[in-house]
Amino acid sequence: MEGVIDAVTRDLLTARGGIDWAVTEFVRVVDTRLPPRVFHKHCPELLSSQVTTPHGTPVHLQLLGSDPDALAANARQALKLGATGIDLNFGCPAKTVNRHDGGASLLRDPSRVQSAVEAVARAVEGVVPVTAKLRLGFADRRLARACAQAAEAGGAQQLVVHARTRNEGYRPPAHWEWIANVRHCVSIPVIANGDIWTLGDYWRARSLSGCDDVMIGRGVLADPDLPARIRHWQRTGECLPATSWNVRATILTHYAALQRTTLPERVVVSLLKQWLNHMRARDEQACSRFAALRRETQLDSFLEGLEKAYLAA
Ligand SMILES: Cc1cc2nc3c(=O)[nH]c(=O)nc-3n(C[C@H](O)[C@H](O)[C@H](O)COP(=O)(O)O)c2cc1C
Protein backbone atom coordinates (compact mmCIF):
# COMPACT_ATOMS: atom_id res chain seq x y z
CA MET A 1 0.00 0.00 0.00
CA GLU A 2 1.54 3.21 -1.23
CA GLY A 3 2.87 5.46 1.55
CA VAL A 4 1.83 2.93 4.19
CA ILE A 5 3.40 -0.50 3.80
CA ASP A 6 7.13 -0.34 3.13
CA ALA A 7 9.69 -3.12 3.54
CA VAL A 8 9.95 -2.62 7.32
CA THR A 9 6.18 -2.87 7.73
CA ARG A 10 6.01 -5.85 5.37
CA ASP A 11 8.50 -7.72 7.47
CA LEU A 12 6.82 -6.90 10.77
CA LEU A 13 3.43 -7.97 9.43
CA THR A 14 4.46 -11.09 7.55
CA ALA A 15 6.47 -12.28 10.58
CA ARG A 16 3.16 -12.66 12.45
CA GLY A 17 2.07 -15.48 10.16
CA GLY A 18 -0.83 -16.23 7.84
CA ILE A 19 0.49 -14.25 4.85
CA ASP A 20 1.49 -16.27 1.78
CA TRP A 21 3.04 -13.41 -0.13
CA ALA A 22 3.17 -9.61 -0.14
CA VAL A 23 3.20 -6.99 -2.88
CA THR A 24 5.26 -3.80 -2.89
CA GLU A 25 3.88 -0.29 -3.11
CA PHE A 26 3.41 0.48 -6.79
CA VAL A 27 6.35 1.59 -8.89
CA ARG A 28 4.98 4.34 -11.12
CA VAL A 29 5.93 3.82 -14.77
CA VAL A 30 5.49 6.68 -17.23
CA ASP A 31 7.54 6.53 -20.40
CA THR A 32 11.06 5.56 -19.42
CA ARG A 33 12.91 2.61 -17.98
CA LEU A 34 13.50 3.43 -14.33
CA PRO A 35 16.95 3.05 -12.77
CA PRO A 36 17.68 0.14 -10.38
CA ARG A 37 17.65 2.46 -7.35
CA VAL A 38 13.90 3.06 -7.82
CA PHE A 39 13.22 -0.66 -7.77
CA HIS A 40 15.47 -1.17 -4.76
CA LYS A 41 13.77 1.67 -2.92
CA HIS A 42 10.33 0.11 -3.41
CA CYS A 43 11.54 -3.43 -3.01
CA PRO A 44 14.75 -3.74 -0.95
CA GLU A 45 13.87 -7.45 -0.81
CA LEU A 46 15.30 -7.65 -4.37
CA LEU A 47 18.67 -7.64 -2.66
CA SER A 48 17.87 -10.91 -0.89
CA SER A 49 18.52 -14.05 -2.91
CA GLN A 50 14.90 -15.32 -2.85
CA VAL A 51 13.19 -11.86 -2.85
CA THR A 52 11.51 -12.50 0.46
CA THR A 53 11.05 -10.47 3.60
CA PRO A 54 13.79 -11.19 6.16
CA HIS A 55 11.30 -13.61 7.76
CA GLY A 56 10.91 -15.46 4.46
CA THR A 57 7.64 -14.31 2.87
CA PRO A 58 7.85 -13.85 -0.93
CA VAL A 59 7.46 -10.29 -2.16
CA HIS A 60 6.16 -9.42 -5.65
CA LEU A 61 6.88 -6.13 -7.32
CA GLN A 62 3.96 -3.99 -8.45
CA LEU A 63 4.07 -1.73 -11.51
CA LEU A 64 1.52 0.96 -12.29
CA GLY A 65 1.34 2.49 -15.75
CA SER A 66 -0.48 2.44 -19.04
CA ASP A 67 2.15 2.50 -21.78
CA PRO A 68 2.73 -1.15 -22.77
CA ASP A 69 6.27 -0.49 -24.04
CA ALA A 70 7.32 1.34 -20.89
CA LEU A 71 5.72 -1.33 -18.70
CA ALA A 72 7.56 -4.03 -20.66
CA ALA A 73 10.89 -2.21 -20.35
CA ASN A 74 10.41 -1.86 -16.60
CA ALA A 75 9.27 -5.46 -16.22
CA ARG A 76 12.52 -6.52 -17.96
CA GLN A 77 14.45 -4.25 -15.63
CA ALA A 78 12.69 -5.77 -12.60
CA LEU A 79 13.43 -9.26 -13.89
CA LYS A 80 17.08 -8.37 -14.37
CA LEU A 81 17.17 -7.16 -10.77
CA GLY A 82 15.81 -10.49 -9.60
CA ALA A 83 12.03 -9.92 -9.24
CA THR A 84 10.15 -13.19 -8.74
CA GLY A 85 6.69 -11.90 -9.61
CA ILE A 86 5.27 -8.81 -11.33
CA ASP A 87 1.87 -7.47 -10.34
CA LEU A 88 0.13 -4.80 -12.44
CA ASN A 89 -2.01 -2.19 -10.72
CA PHE A 90 -5.35 -1.45 -12.39
CA GLY A 91 -7.00 -0.45 -9.15
CA CYS A 92 -5.53 2.84 -7.95
CA PRO A 93 -8.34 5.43 -7.68
CA ALA A 94 -6.14 8.48 -6.98
CA LYS A 95 -7.12 11.47 -9.11
CA THR A 96 -3.55 12.38 -10.02
CA VAL A 97 -2.77 8.81 -11.03
CA ASN A 98 -5.99 8.46 -13.07
CA ARG A 99 -5.51 11.87 -14.71
CA HIS A 100 -2.18 10.62 -15.99
CA ASP A 101 -3.86 7.50 -17.34
CA GLY A 102 -2.76 5.04 -14.68
CA GLY A 103 -4.34 2.61 -12.21
CA ALA A 104 -8.11 2.19 -12.48
CA SER A 105 -8.39 4.52 -15.48
CA LEU A 106 -7.49 1.59 -17.78
CA LEU A 107 -10.63 -0.26 -16.65
CA ARG A 108 -12.63 1.95 -19.02
CA ASP A 109 -11.14 0.01 -21.92
CA PRO A 110 -10.49 -3.73 -21.50
CA SER A 111 -8.28 -3.79 -24.60
CA ARG A 112 -5.85 -1.49 -22.79
CA VAL A 113 -5.77 -3.84 -19.81
CA GLN A 114 -4.98 -6.67 -22.19
CA SER A 115 -2.24 -4.73 -24.01
CA ALA A 116 -0.55 -3.78 -20.74
CA VAL A 117 -0.61 -7.32 -19.36
CA GLU A 118 0.41 -8.81 -22.70
CA ALA A 119 3.42 -6.51 -23.02
CA VAL A 120 4.64 -7.42 -19.53
CA ALA A 121 3.95 -11.14 -19.96
CA ARG A 122 5.89 -11.11 -23.22
CA ALA A 123 8.75 -9.18 -21.61
CA VAL A 124 9.20 -11.66 -18.78
CA GLU A 125 8.81 -14.67 -21.11
CA GLY A 126 7.20 -16.87 -18.48
CA VAL A 127 10.26 -16.63 -16.21
CA VAL A 128 8.15 -15.11 -13.42
CA PRO A 129 4.37 -14.92 -12.98
CA VAL A 130 2.48 -11.82 -14.05
CA THR A 131 -0.59 -11.01 -11.95
CA ALA A 132 -3.08 -8.15 -11.94
CA LYS A 133 -4.97 -6.13 -9.36
CA LEU A 134 -8.36 -4.92 -10.59
CA ARG A 135 -11.38 -3.08 -9.30
CA LEU A 136 -14.90 -3.89 -10.55
CA GLY A 137 -14.78 -0.99 -12.99
CA PHE A 138 -14.22 2.73 -13.23
CA ALA A 139 -17.63 4.42 -12.99
CA ASP A 140 -19.76 1.25 -13.00
CA ARG A 141 -19.42 -2.54 -13.14
CA ARG A 142 -20.40 -3.10 -16.76
CA LEU A 143 -16.87 -3.99 -17.83
CA ALA A 144 -15.88 -5.98 -14.74
CA ARG A 145 -15.99 -9.34 -16.50
CA ALA A 146 -14.48 -8.00 -19.72
CA CYS A 147 -11.51 -6.50 -17.86
CA ALA A 148 -10.85 -9.73 -15.98
CA GLN A 149 -11.04 -11.70 -19.24
CA ALA A 150 -8.74 -9.17 -20.88
CA ALA A 151 -6.17 -9.58 -18.12
CA GLU A 152 -6.37 -13.36 -18.49
CA ALA A 153 -6.09 -13.15 -22.29
CA GLY A 154 -3.04 -10.92 -21.86
CA GLY A 155 -1.33 -13.62 -19.81
CA ALA A 156 -2.13 -12.80 -16.18
CA GLN A 157 -1.80 -15.89 -14.03
CA GLN A 158 -3.88 -14.62 -11.14
CA LEU A 159 -6.19 -11.72 -10.32
CA VAL A 160 -6.86 -9.83 -7.12
CA VAL A 161 -10.23 -8.11 -7.36
CA HIS A 162 -11.08 -5.20 -5.07
CA ALA A 163 -14.86 -5.40 -4.82
CA ARG A 164 -15.61 -1.78 -5.68
CA THR A 165 -15.50 0.48 -8.69
CA ARG A 166 -13.01 3.31 -8.86
CA ASN A 167 -15.80 5.83 -8.21
CA GLU A 168 -16.79 3.94 -5.06
CA GLY A 169 -13.35 4.72 -3.67
CA TYR A 170 -13.13 3.02 -0.29
CA ARG A 171 -16.80 3.53 0.65
CA PRO A 172 -18.45 0.50 2.20
CA PRO A 173 -19.88 -1.88 1.29
CA ALA A 174 -17.48 -4.00 -0.73
CA HIS A 175 -19.52 -5.98 -3.28
CA TRP A 176 -18.02 -9.41 -2.66
CA GLU A 177 -20.84 -11.11 -4.58
CA TRP A 178 -19.60 -9.32 -7.69
CA ILE A 179 -16.27 -11.04 -7.40
CA ALA A 180 -18.16 -14.28 -7.99
CA ASN A 181 -19.34 -12.89 -11.34
CA VAL A 182 -15.76 -12.14 -12.28
CA ARG A 183 -14.50 -15.49 -11.00
CA HIS A 184 -17.00 -17.40 -13.13
CA CYS A 185 -15.79 -15.88 -16.38
CA VAL A 186 -12.05 -16.63 -16.05
CA SER A 187 -10.11 -19.82 -15.46
CA ILE A 188 -7.21 -18.32 -13.47
CA PRO A 189 -7.34 -18.01 -9.67
CA VAL A 190 -9.21 -14.97 -8.36
CA ILE A 191 -8.49 -13.53 -4.93
CA ALA A 192 -11.11 -11.45 -3.12
CA ASN A 193 -10.20 -8.05 -1.70
CA GLY A 194 -11.93 -5.20 0.09
CA ASP A 195 -13.18 -4.54 3.62
CA ILE A 196 -11.98 -7.72 5.26
CA TRP A 197 -11.47 -6.48 8.82
CA THR A 198 -12.43 -9.53 10.88
CA LEU A 199 -12.67 -13.31 10.69
CA GLY A 200 -16.42 -12.84 10.18
CA ASP A 201 -15.74 -10.60 7.17
CA TYR A 202 -13.44 -13.27 5.78
CA TRP A 203 -16.20 -15.89 6.09
CA ARG A 204 -18.72 -13.63 4.37
CA ALA A 205 -16.30 -12.55 1.63
CA ARG A 206 -15.36 -16.14 1.01
CA SER A 207 -18.93 -17.41 0.82
CA LEU A 208 -20.20 -14.55 -1.35
CA SER A 209 -17.23 -14.49 -3.72
CA GLY A 210 -16.54 -18.21 -3.76
CA CYS A 211 -12.82 -17.40 -3.50
CA ASP A 212 -10.64 -19.53 -1.24
CA ASP A 213 -8.10 -16.78 -0.78
CA VAL A 214 -8.32 -13.14 0.17
CA MET A 215 -6.01 -10.16 -0.05
CA ILE A 216 -6.05 -7.87 2.97
CA GLY A 217 -4.89 -4.26 2.97
CA ARG A 218 -6.09 -1.93 5.71
CA GLY A 219 -7.42 -4.83 7.80
CA VAL A 220 -3.91 -6.09 8.51
CA LEU A 221 -2.86 -2.67 9.77
CA ALA A 222 -6.00 -2.48 11.92
CA ASP A 223 -5.35 -5.99 13.27
CA PRO A 224 -1.86 -7.30 12.48
CA ASP A 225 -2.93 -10.76 13.64
CA LEU A 226 -5.90 -11.03 11.27
CA PRO A 227 -4.06 -13.17 8.67
CA ALA A 228 -2.82 -15.53 11.41
CA ARG A 229 -6.35 -15.64 12.85
CA ILE A 230 -7.74 -16.62 9.44
CA ARG A 231 -5.02 -19.21 8.88
CA HIS A 232 -5.60 -20.69 12.34
CA TRP A 233 -9.32 -20.99 11.65
CA GLN A 234 -8.64 -22.60 8.26
CA ARG A 235 -6.42 -25.20 9.88
CA THR A 236 -8.33 -25.91 13.09
CA GLY A 237 -11.82 -24.40 12.85
CA GLU A 238 -11.02 -22.50 16.06
CA CYS A 239 -11.24 -18.74 16.61
CA LEU A 240 -8.25 -17.12 18.29
CA PRO A 241 -8.92 -14.40 20.89
CA ALA A 242 -8.96 -10.73 19.82
CA THR A 243 -5.59 -8.98 19.44
CA SER A 244 -4.89 -7.13 22.69
CA TRP A 245 -3.65 -3.57 23.00
CA ASN A 246 -0.55 -5.01 24.61
CA VAL A 247 0.30 -6.80 21.33
CA ARG A 248 -0.53 -3.76 19.21
CA ALA A 249 1.59 -1.43 21.35
CA THR A 250 4.50 -3.86 21.16
CA ILE A 251 4.25 -3.91 17.35
CA LEU A 252 4.14 -0.11 17.15
CA THR A 253 7.12 0.20 19.49
CA HIS A 254 9.12 -2.30 17.46
CA TYR A 255 8.13 -0.51 14.25
CA ALA A 256 9.35 2.81 15.66
CA ALA A 257 12.65 1.27 16.75
CA LEU A 258 13.25 -0.03 13.21
CA GLN A 259 12.13 3.11 11.39
CA ARG A 260 14.10 5.54 13.57
CA THR A 261 17.36 3.95 12.42
CA THR A 262 16.85 5.44 8.94
CA LEU A 263 14.13 8.12 9.14
CA PRO A 264 13.93 11.48 10.93
CA GLU A 265 12.00 11.27 14.20
CA ARG A 266 9.20 13.57 13.04
CA VAL A 267 8.59 11.26 10.07
CA VAL A 268 8.49 8.24 12.39
CA VAL A 269 5.95 10.04 14.60
CA SER A 270 3.70 10.71 11.62
CA LEU A 271 4.03 7.09 10.43
CA LEU A 272 3.10 5.90 13.93
CA LYS A 273 0.05 8.18 13.94
CA GLN A 274 -0.95 6.80 10.55
CA TRP A 275 -0.76 3.20 11.80
CA LEU A 276 -2.46 4.00 15.12
CA ASN A 277 -5.21 5.66 13.11
CA HIS A 278 -5.73 2.40 11.19
CA MET A 279 -5.82 0.48 14.48
CA ARG A 280 -8.36 2.69 16.18
CA ALA A 281 -11.27 1.41 14.09
CA ARG A 282 -10.81 -1.99 15.78
CA ASP A 283 -9.52 -1.21 19.24
CA GLU A 284 -10.74 1.10 21.99
CA GLN A 285 -7.28 1.53 23.49
CA ALA A 286 -5.93 2.54 20.09
CA CYS A 287 -8.80 4.99 19.82
CA SER A 288 -8.09 6.67 23.15
CA ARG A 289 -4.32 6.69 22.53
CA PHE A 290 -4.86 8.25 19.12
CA ALA A 291 -6.98 11.02 20.66
CA ALA A 292 -4.37 11.63 23.38
CA LEU A 293 -1.33 11.55 21.08
CA ARG A 294 -2.55 13.12 17.87
CA ARG A 295 -0.72 16.41 18.55
CA GLU A 296 2.44 14.82 19.95
CA THR A 297 5.52 15.59 17.85
CA GLN A 298 8.31 14.04 19.93
CA LEU A 299 9.00 10.39 19.22
CA ASP A 300 10.01 9.38 22.75
CA SER A 301 6.97 11.10 24.28
CA PHE A 302 4.77 9.39 21.72
CA LEU A 303 6.23 6.00 22.63
CA GLU A 304 5.78 6.75 26.34
CA GLY A 305 2.14 7.51 25.60
CA LEU A 306 1.76 4.09 24.01
CA GLU A 307 3.48 2.54 26.99
CA LYS A 308 1.06 4.19 29.43
CA ALA A 309 -1.84 2.57 27.65
CA TYR A 310 0.16 -0.61 27.50
CA LEU A 311 0.53 -0.68 31.28
CA ALA A 312 -3.09 0.28 31.80
CA ALA A 313 -4.35 -2.45 29.44
C1 LIG B 1 -3.29 4.39 1.48
C2 LIG B 1 -3.52 3.27 0.52
C3 LIG B 1 -2.53 2.93 -0.38
C4 LIG B 1 -2.73 1.87 -1.28
N1 LIG B 1 -1.73 1.55 -2.16
C5 LIG B 1 -1.90 0.48 -2.98
C6 LIG B 1 -0.85 0.06 -3.85
O1 LIG B 1 0.24 0.65 -3.91
N2 LIG B 1 -1.08 -1.01 -4.65
C7 LIG B 1 -2.28 -1.70 -4.62
O2 LIG B 1 -2.45 -2.69 -5.35
N3 LIG B 1 -3.27 -1.32 -3.82
C8 LIG B 1 -3.11 -0.25 -3.00
N4 LIG B 1 -4.13 0.13 -2.18
C9 LIG B 1 -5.41 -0.61 -2.22
C10 LIG B 1 -5.39 -1.81 -1.26
O3 LIG B 1 -4.42 -2.75 -1.69
C11 LIG B 1 -6.75 -2.51 -1.22
O4 LIG B 1 -7.07 -2.96 -2.52
C12 LIG B 1 -7.87 -1.60 -0.74
O5 LIG B 1 -7.46 -0.82 0.36
C13 LIG B 1 -9.09 -2.42 -0.34
O6 LIG B 1 -8.72 -3.47 0.51
P1 LIG B 1 -8.77 -3.34 2.12
O7 LIG B 1 -10.20 -3.01 2.48
O8 LIG B 1 -8.34 -4.71 2.58
O9 LIG B 1 -7.85 -2.24 2.51
C14 LIG B 1 -3.97 1.17 -1.28
C15 LIG B 1 -4.96 1.53 -0.38
C16 LIG B 1 -4.76 2.56 0.52
C17 LIG B 1 -5.88 2.90 1.51
Side-chain angles (χ1 to χ4, degrees):
M1 287 168 65
E2 204 232 347
V4 185
I5 301 191
D6 61 2
V8 168
T9 323
R10 271 197 292 280
D11 192 38
L12 270 179
L13 292 173
T14 56
R16 305 197 70 77
I19 298 178
D20 296 316
W21 81 94
V23 180
T24 64
E25 300 165 86
F26 64 75
V27 174
R28 181 82 187 277
V29 171
V30 183
D31 53 5
T32 54
R33 192 180 65 161
L34 297 161
R37 70 181 152 75
V38 176
F39 291 87
H40 287 137
K41 178 166 171 278
H42 284 78
C43 187
E45 293 93 342
L46 285 170
L47 298 167
S48 73
S49 59
Q50 305 289 317
V51 194
T52 63
T53 62
H55 280 92
T57 304
V59 177
H60 293 177
L61 188 102
Q62 188 177 72
L63 300 178
L64 179 150
S66 55
D67 176 347
D69 292 338
L71 284 168
N74 283 284
R76 271 191 294 273
Q77 176 79 304
L79 193 63
K80 206 165 101 189
L81 295 169
T84 51
I86 309 270
D87 189 53
L88 292 174
N89 182 319
F90 300 109
C92 183
K95 282 201 176 97
T96 37
V97 169
N98 295 163
R99 224 184 4 252
H100 292 96
D101 200 24
S105 65
L106 274 79
L107 300 176
R108 290 182 282 210
D109 181 351
S111 71
R112 299 194 66 210
V113 171
Q114 179 164 344
S115 304
V117 177
E118 214 161 57
V120 170
R122 208 175 291 135
V124 302
E125 297 174 338
V127 175
V128 299
V130 176
T131 56
K133 169 87 179 297
L134 307 171
R135 282 182 178 244
L136 293 174
F138 191 85
D140 56 53
R141 298 173 207 140
R142 272 178 299 176
L143 295 174
R145 294 183 194 86
C147 284
Q149 287 170 329
E152 181 177 31
Q157 293 182 23
Q158 178 175 276
L159 306 176
V160 171
V161 180
H162 178 182
R164 295 184 179 91
T165 63
R166 180 268 178 195
N167 283 0
E168 286 168 339
Y170 294 93
R171 266 193 319 280
H175 303 280
W176 296 317
E177 69 287 357
W178 257 87
I179 299 178
N181 294 336
V182 169
R183 196 172 59 80
H184 287 135
C185 73
V186 294
S187 54
I188 51 178
V190 173
I191 294 171
N193 168 240
D195 276 1
I196 297 165
W197 301 96
T198 63
L199 185 58
D201 292 336
Y202 164 73
W203 290 332
R204 282 185 289 279
R206 188 173 129 135
S207 73
L208 288 173
S209 68
C211 298
D212 292 332
D213 294 312
V214 296
M215 178 254 159
I216 305 177
R218 294 164 301 166
V220 74
L221 292 166
D223 178 2
D225 283 338
L226 179 58
R229 191 184 314 289
I230 293 173
R231 178 55 45 81
H232 187 78
W233 178 81
Q234 288 171 333
R235 288 188 177 147
T236 65
E238 292 165 5
C239 301
L240 290 172
T243 306
S244 66
W245 169 253
N246 187 327
V247 167
R248 292 165 198 271
T250 305
I251 293 170
L252 291 173
T253 305
H254 188 189
Y255 173 71
L258 295 171
Q259 294 289 27
R260 80 189 305 174
T261 62
T262 56
L263 298 173
E265 293 205 352
R266 63 182 167 73
V267 176
V268 181
V269 171
S270 77
L271 289 172
L272 280 169
K273 284 182 192 169
Q274 178 172 259
W275 197 341
L276 191 57
N277 187 27
H278 280 286
M279 283 182 177
R280 79 189 164 126
R282 300 285 140 193
D283 186 90
E284 275 177 25
Q285 287 271 8
C287 207
S288 59
R289 286 306 91 203
F290 184 83
L293 296 170
R294 62 187 307 167
R295 290 201 176 74
E296 183 57 67
T297 55
Q298 301 301 311
L299 181 53
D300 287 327
S301 310
F302 193 98
L303 293 172
E304 274 167 33
L306 295 180
E307 188 74 8
K308 275 187 214 154
Y310 176 69
L311 291 174

